[in-house]
Amino acid sequence: MKTKKHRGSFMLRFMVFGFSVAVGLLAFWLLGYIVRDIDRVQGPNYNQMLDEGLPKKLQDERQLLAAQLVNLNQQIASTERRRKLTTQTTRDSQQTINQLLELKRNADENATSLSEGQQSALTDSLQLFLANQSQTQTLNAELSDLNDQLDDIQEKQRANGDAITRESRPIADEYDALAEQHQWKLAAYKLALLIPLLLICGWLFVRQAGGTYAMLVYALSGAVAARVLLVMHDHFPAIYFKYILILLSLAIATGVLIRLLRLIARPSRDWLLRQYREAYAHFFCPICDYPIQRGPLKFAVWTRRSLKKRTPVSFDSDAAAVDQPYTCPCCETTLFHACEKCGGVRHSLLPACEKCGAGTVVEQEVEA
C-alpha cells in the first residue's frame, strides 16, 4: 500500500517555502564569502615588475625630473606672487603721483607752490615708482627664465616617459599574461570547490525530486548553480561564457524534454492518477479525451473551453440513482464498472470505490 503524502496547511506550506528561500539565499551568501576569500590570493604586482624590469637609469632620471619639475613650479608660483605684489605697489604709487601732480597743477594755476611735505612725498613716490618698475622688469625676466627651464624639463620628462613606455611594453605584456594565468587559477580554485557541491546537489536533486526534503535540495541546488554561473561570468572570457551558458541551457532543456517524453511513454502511477482524476472531474475520458456522456449528460455536448460556461443540467433523482457501467465509445476503455465488493458502479481508473471505499483497482496502462 502506498503511503499517502500530506500537503499540510497553507501556513505550513508558506513557511516551508519561505524558509527554503532563506536557506537558498544564506547558502548563496556563504558561498559568496568563500569565493571572495579565494580572491585574496595575491597575483602579479605591476608596479613591482616595473621597478625590477625598468633600467635603473631611467627610473632615477624620472624621479630627478619629477623633483626638478616640482621645484620649478614652486619657484614660478613664488615669483608670480612677488610680481603681482610689485605690480600692485607700482599701481598704488602711480595713483599717489597722479594725485600729487594734480595738486601741483592747481598750485601753479593759483600762483602758489606745494608744501615741503607734499614736495617730499612726490619725490619719494617717484623714486618708489621707478624702483618698482625696475623690480617688475627683473621679476618678468626671472619668470621668463623659469618658464624656459620648465619647458626644457617638461620636454626631458616627455622623452623619459617615451623611453619608459618602450621599455615597459614587454613588462606590460608579461604582466597581462601572468594576470590572465592568475584569473584562471582563481577560477580553478573556486570551481574546485563549487563543482563537487554542484554534482552533489544534482545527485540529490534527482534522488529527492518530489520527496520529503525536495524544497531543501531545490534551495541549495539553486544557490550553488547561481554561484557557479557568477564565477564563470567573472573569470571566463565573454565568448567562452556565452557558449558554456548556451550548451548548459541546451543540456538542461534536453534533459527535461527527455524526462517529459519518458513520462508520456511510461507514466508513473502518481502521474496517471492525477491525469485520471482531472479527466473524471471534467467529464472527459482519461485516455482519449472524449466526453463522458452518461447519466444526465448522456445527450449533452461540450468542450474544455465551454465546460465552465455551461448551465448545470437538471435531472431526476430517481433516474440518477440508476447508475450503469460505462465504456468509452472512442477508445473502448472501461471507465465505470461494478465494484467487486459492494456491487455499486465505481470509477474504473481511480484507486478507491466512492461508495464502499474498496481499494481494488483494475490497472490500465496507456499504450505509447
Side-chain angles (χ1 to χ4, degrees):
M1 180 177 179
K2 184 178 179 180
T3 303
K4 296 181 179 180
K5 182 179 180 181
H6 299 281
R7 297 184 61 197
S9 64
F10 171 78
M11 182 56 65
L12 183 59
R13 296 198 305 273
F14 179 77
M15 291 177 64
V16 169
F17 176 78
F19 277 97
S20 298
V21 173
V23 168
L25 292 177
L26 290 173
F28 182 79
W29 193 9
L30 175 62
L31 292 174
Y33 276 116
I34 297 175
V35 166
R36 280 192 288 272
D37 288 338
I38 295 177
D39 284 330
R40 295 180 181 178
V41 176
Q42 293 295 328
N45 190 320
Y46 182 67
N47 292 328
Q48 182 179 358
M49 293 177 63
L50 281 178
D51 291 339
E52 295 176 354
L54 285 178
K56 184 67 174 176
K57 179 180 179 181
L58 288 177
Q59 297 186 50
D60 294 340
E61 183 182 4
R62 178 174 59 182
Q63 295 177 359
L64 178 61
L65 290 174
Q68 291 178 353
L69 187 64
V70 171
N71 186 35
L72 273 175
N73 285 326
Q74 292 177 350
Q75 292 183 29
I76 289 174
S78 176
T79 305
E80 185 66 29
R81 287 193 299 269
R82 290 164 55 198
R83 189 176 70 86
K84 288 182 179 180
L85 181 60
T86 304
T87 302
Q88 182 63 38
T89 305
T90 303
R91 189 178 297 113
D92 294 340
S93 299
Q94 186 175 8
Q95 291 178 356
T96 303
I97 292 172
N98 291 334
Q99 293 174 357
L100 292 173
L101 290 175
E102 183 67 23
L103 290 175
K104 186 176 185 305
R105 186 180 303 109
N106 292 332
D108 292 341
E109 291 177 355
N110 296 326
T112 61
S113 61
L114 293 175
S115 64
E116 184 178 352
Q118 291 175 339
Q119 188 67 37
S120 176
L122 178 60
T123 303
D124 292 340
S125 298
L126 287 173
Q127 292 177 354
L128 180 61
F129 177 78
L130 294 175
N132 287 334
Q133 284 283 69
S134 176
Q135 186 177 4
T136 300
Q137 293 176 358
T138 302
L139 291 174
N140 287 334
E142 183 179 349
L143 191 61
S144 176
D145 183 62
L146 290 175
N147 283 321
D148 291 339
Q149 295 180 35
L150 179 64
D151 292 338
D152 184 60
I153 293 296
Q154 289 177 341
E155 182 63 29
K156 292 180 179 180
Q157 197 173 41
R158 281 193 292 270
N160 177 262
D162 293 339
I164 289 178
T165 301
R166 290 192 298 271
E167 293 292 335
S168 62
R169 189 171 294 115
I171 301 175
D173 294 339
E174 182 182 1
Y175 170 78
D176 291 338
L178 293 176
E180 184 177 0
Q181 293 178 7
H182 180 68
Q183 290 299 318
W184 284 110
K185 185 186 298 184
L186 292 180
Y189 291 159
K190 295 175 183 178
L191 293 178
L193 170 68
L194 294 174
I195 292 299
L197 293 177
L198 184 63
L199 294 176
I200 293 174
C201 289
W203 178 75
L204 292 175
F205 186 89
V206 175
R207 293 292 301 272
Q208 295 294 329
T212 304
Y213 303 103
M215 291 297 293
L216 176 61
V217 173
Y218 297 161
L220 294 176
S221 300
V224 175
R227 185 55 67 183
V228 169
L229 288 177
L230 287 178
V231 168
M232 295 171 63
H233 178 268
D234 292 339
H235 293 279
F236 285 29
I239 185 172
Y240 297 149
F241 179 75
K242 174 178 64 178
Y243 287 110
I244 291 174
L245 185 60
I246 292 175
L247 291 175
L248 182 61
S249 302
L250 180 62
I252 294 174
T254 303
V256 172
L257 179 59
I258 291 175
R259 188 176 180 84
L260 293 176
L261 293 175
R262 288 179 177 175
L263 191 60
I264 294 175
R266 293 184 295 275
S268 63
R269 185 173 183 273
D270 291 339
W271 188 271
L272 282 176
L273 287 178
R274 183 184 303 174
Q275 175 186 342
Y276 295 164
R277 181 178 67 246
E278 293 176 356
Y280 273 121
H282 293 87
F283 308 102
F284 286 96
C285 175
I287 306 304
C288 67
D289 215 29
Y290 186 81
I292 300 177
Q293 296 173 316
R294 63 187 296 270
L297 297 177
K298 183 173 181 60
F299 301 104
V301 179
W302 66 91
T303 62
R304 290 189 179 273
R305 179 176 298 180
S306 64
L307 182 64
K308 296 181 180 181
K309 301 179 181 179
R310 288 186 59 85
T311 302
V313 179
S314 59
F315 58 91
D316 186 1
S317 59
D318 294 335
V322 182
D323 204 0
Q324 299 293 330
Y326 180 81
T327 300
C328 178
C330 184
C331 64
E332 301 180 357
T333 301
T334 301
L335 301 180
F336 295 88
H337 72 281
C339 178
E340 298 176 356
K341 184 175 181 180
C342 67
V345 177
R346 58 167 290 176
H347 300 79
S348 302
L349 302 181
L350 295 183
C353 175
E354 64 180 4
K355 298 179 176 64
C356 66
T360 304
V361 182
V362 179
E363 296 291 339
Q364 298 187 12
E365 299 293 339
V366 182
E367 295 182 0

